[in-house]
Amino acid sequence: MKALLFFLCLLFPFITASSVAYPSVLDCSLSDGGEGLQPLRRETYGSGRIFDISHRITSEMPAWESKDGLGQYLWLRASMKNGSIANFSEMKLPAHMGTHLDAPGHVFDHYFEAGFDVDTLDLEVLNGPALLVDVRRDKNITAEVMKSLHIPKGIRRVLFRTLNTDRRLMYKKEFDTSYVGFMKDGAQWLVDNTDIKLVGKLQELIICLLLPMTI
């Protein structure tokens, strides 16, 4: 098992600069003659203490059960070039696009009915050191796989790098239903035998799913 220690911080996914609602680099000037301005997008902060592991949102990224990808999701409703006092964008996309956080109500209807949204989750659980582990590439994450990883007690956050990474699924337009995921017995083994409160599945060392454990 390969393991690295990361400081996990979930940041809002980047918006692609190619969208008509997001100005190009040359349009980002704050004053006349500002063609040299260029937005700074970093992946690490504090000399590697914090990693931004979110995927950049694009119209070509896969959407749930879609063959055509996300499509247009961003519109410029008001433009300073057309006389508005500010640029005003409107965004519409599914709640489970790209890098995202699953609320307890996503897969448990009684939590959904009770109003357990993402704002009910503990931010202290969502931020902090995380263990990165490589998972065997020929299986879903089962109880057998979880046991073989030998994750030490006391670890609260784990990011799983799976076959999804090798297949670059987040860079394919069509949604692929054969992705690697947690099986029920694997999740139960995790609950019964570890101190983990947050799990994530990675692609290209970038998180594509966070599922905080509400136990």
Side-chain angles (χ1 to χ4, degrees):
M1 176 187 71
K2 296 180 181 178
L4 296 175
L5 196 61
F6 279 81
F7 193 90
L8 177 62
C9 181
L10 180 65
L11 302 179
F12 192 80
F14 286 135
I15 305 301
T16 176
S18 62
S19 169
V20 295
Y22 194 90
S24 67
V25 171
L26 294 182
D27 290 333
C28 287
S29 59
L30 301 179
S31 60
D32 292 339
E35 289 80 3
L37 290 178
Q38 185 170 350
L40 177 63
R41 297 186 175 95
R42 295 181 292 171
E43 293 184 352
T44 61
Y45 298 80
S47 300
R49 187 176 63 89
I50 297 175
F51 288 77
D52 174 7
I53 49 179
S54 57
H55 269 283
R56 189 178 181 87
I57 292 181
T58 73
S59 60
E60 298 291 313
M61 73 187 319
W64 180 260
E65 296 184 336
S66 171
K67 294 183 178 180
D68 303 319
L70 175 60
Q72 185 175 0
Y73 61 94
L74 195 61
W75 295 263
L76 189 60
R77 294 303 187 192
S79 170
M80 295 178 70
K81 292 181 177 61
N82 294 330
S84 296
I85 62 172
N87 293 313
F88 182 81
S89 298
E90 181 176 304
M91 183 168 58
K92 181 180 180 181
L93 72 166
H96 298 275
M97 282 303 305
T99 308
H100 67 276
L101 176 66
D102 279 342
H106 177 47
V107 290
F108 297 103
D109 200 47
H110 59 294
Y111 280 125
F112 179 82
E113 294 296 334
F116 279 75
D117 299 324
V118 290
D119 59 353
T120 65
L121 299 174
D122 188 345
L123 290 180
E124 290 187 355
V125 174
L126 296 176
N127 292 274
L131 183 70
L132 171 64
V133 297
D134 269 305
V135 179
R136 55 188 297 180
R137 299 305 201 252
D138 60 342
K139 286 189 175 184
N140 283 302
I141 304 176
T142 62
E144 176 191 1
V145 170
M146 282 298 305
K147 187 176 181 179
S148 71
L149 294 175
H150 303 292
I151 296 173
K153 283 284 189 178
I155 297 294
R156 301 184 69 205
R157 307 171 191 87
V158 177
L159 308 180
F160 294 89
R161 184 163 49 191
T162 69
L163 183 63
N164 297 338
T165 299
D166 303 342
R167 297 175 63 198
R168 296 177 60 85
L169 295 187
M170 286 293 285
Y171 299 95
K172 296 182 178 180
K173 189 174 183 179
E174 182 175 354
F175 181 77
D176 192 328
T177 59
S178 65
Y179 61 87
V180 172
F182 254 95
M183 304 303 289
K184 185 176 181 179
D185 67 320
Q188 190 63 56
W189 194 96
L190 182 150
V191 171
D192 294 340
N193 297 279
T194 76
D195 298 319
I196 298 170
K197 300 299 180 184
L198 179 149
V199 299
K201 289 187 300 175
L202 294 178
Q203 296 186 26
E204 298 300 314
L205 287 179
I206 301 176
I207 199 164
C208 65
L209 173 66
L210 281 174
L211 180 59
M213 308 305 293
T214 55
I215 56 176

